[in-house]
Amino acid sequence: MDQIEIFAPASVANVSCGFDVLGFCLEPIGDIMRVTKTESPGVTIGSITGQELPTDPLKNVASVAVLSLLKTFKSSYGFRIDIDKKIKPGSGIGSSAASAAGAVFAVNHLLGAPYSRKELIQFAMAGEVLASGAKHADNLAPVLLGGFTLVRSNKSLDVIKLPSPPDLVATIIHPKIELKTIHSRAILKQTVPLEKAVEQWGNLGAFVSALYTNDYELLSRSMKDKIIEPFRAMLIPKFEEVKAAAINTGALGSGISGSGPSIYALSKGMKTAIEVGNAMKTQFDDLDIEYEVHVSKINEEGIKIINSL
Ligand code: HSE
């Protein structure tokens, strides 16, 4: 195989109760990446369409992730990466994770798949660190493994794939303003009051249990975040109104997608998820901000191969 074309999907991290550890994979939005073997070793960025991103291999998250893989797995040939970037950087739906995970997934295939999808997270992490300045795999894990994932440890990368209740549908509204993860992390407090920590781990445990038992009511009660959301909500126009509109329309819960500015909701059934999207839109219609709405089933597959030669 000399060339591979893949779809690297967007994802929602944190899911309110699981800052830096919980995430799920989306279906309709993602980047198209083509990776081609080259005679000269190393990594180059060929073309990037859709967004303005660095082509210097030491500054682009896709090539930085591949360089990390090639430090461990020596290759006599190199790789050129072409990206059709559909996920806007700074959107809160895992733009850097899609690039980093997509690139290592494609290169791994061209190398004869020496690593499992789970093992690739460690290499993709180099890209995520470049983008956000922190080691967190809560977007990378669902992009590579599909579905919902829990990162028990971001240090040792102990990652668990979780089940998805069959009727769960996500709605995302993406106001087109850029919020860099590195900045929305910088405003967070480094300590958490015990009372809030107790509440959060209660909710996270309950959320995971609800995924296993298809308990939509419990899922709804668990989608709370008293630790991170109050700080980041200030950075997102009309966050409280959009969230309230989603919940009043029947969403199980709603919160900030990753580090924002996108806002996500989870609903039972496609019909409710579409209505939730319409309710979210009405909140943004009187603001002078462009936005996009996506309605998505939980993507159980994660990254997928489109073509290979
Ligand atoms: N867990 C990360 C954060 C996700 O909230 O900062 C953003 O990439």
Side-chain angles (χ1 to χ4, degrees), residues 142-269:
V143 172
L144 278 160
L145 305 181
F148 277 89
T149 53
L150 180 78
V151 184
R152 192 203 59 81
S153 166
N154 276 298
K155 284 189 187 133
S156 64
L157 288 179
D158 188 357
V159 175
I160 303 132
K161 175 153 180 173
L162 304 168
S164 308
D167 297 331
L168 210 55
V169 184
T171 310
I172 316 290
I173 190 158
H174 167 212
K176 292 199 177 167
I177 48 175
E178 186 179 319
L179 195 51
K180 284 194 192 309
T181 300
I182 204 158
H183 295 144
S184 50
R185 291 183 82 86
I187 62 162
L188 300 177
K189 288 212 165 118
Q190 295 303 308
T191 53
V192 176
L194 186 58
E195 192 188 336
K196 286 191 178 168
V198 170
E199 212 178 309
Q200 199 93 342
W201 58 57
N203 282 323
L204 179 58
F207 187 96
V208 171
S209 167
L211 292 180
Y212 277 94
T213 53
N214 298 334
D215 187 338
Y216 295 92
E217 291 300 316
L218 180 61
L219 196 91
S220 176
R221 293 202 298 282
S222 318
M223 289 174 68
K224 305 258 158 46
D225 174 11
K226 299 274 177 63
I227 296 177
I228 308 295
E229 189 177 286
F231 293 100
R232 288 181 169 173
M234 298 184 264
L235 305 174
I236 304 172
K238 288 189 96 175
F239 170 74
E240 297 299 347
E241 288 91 336
V242 173
K243 178 178 168 176
I247 291 169
N248 292 339
T249 312
L252 299 167
S254 173
I256 300 170
S257 174
S259 55
S262 288
I263 302 167
Y264 84 99
L266 285 173
S267 301
K268 187 176 180 190

Side-chain angles (χ1 to χ4, degrees), residues 13-14 19-20 128 136 138-139 181 185 232 258-259:
N14 301 337
F19 177 69
D20 273 1
E128 204 61 319
H136 55 90
D138 50 343
N139 285 108
T181 300
R185 291 183 82 86
R232 288 181 169 173
S259 55

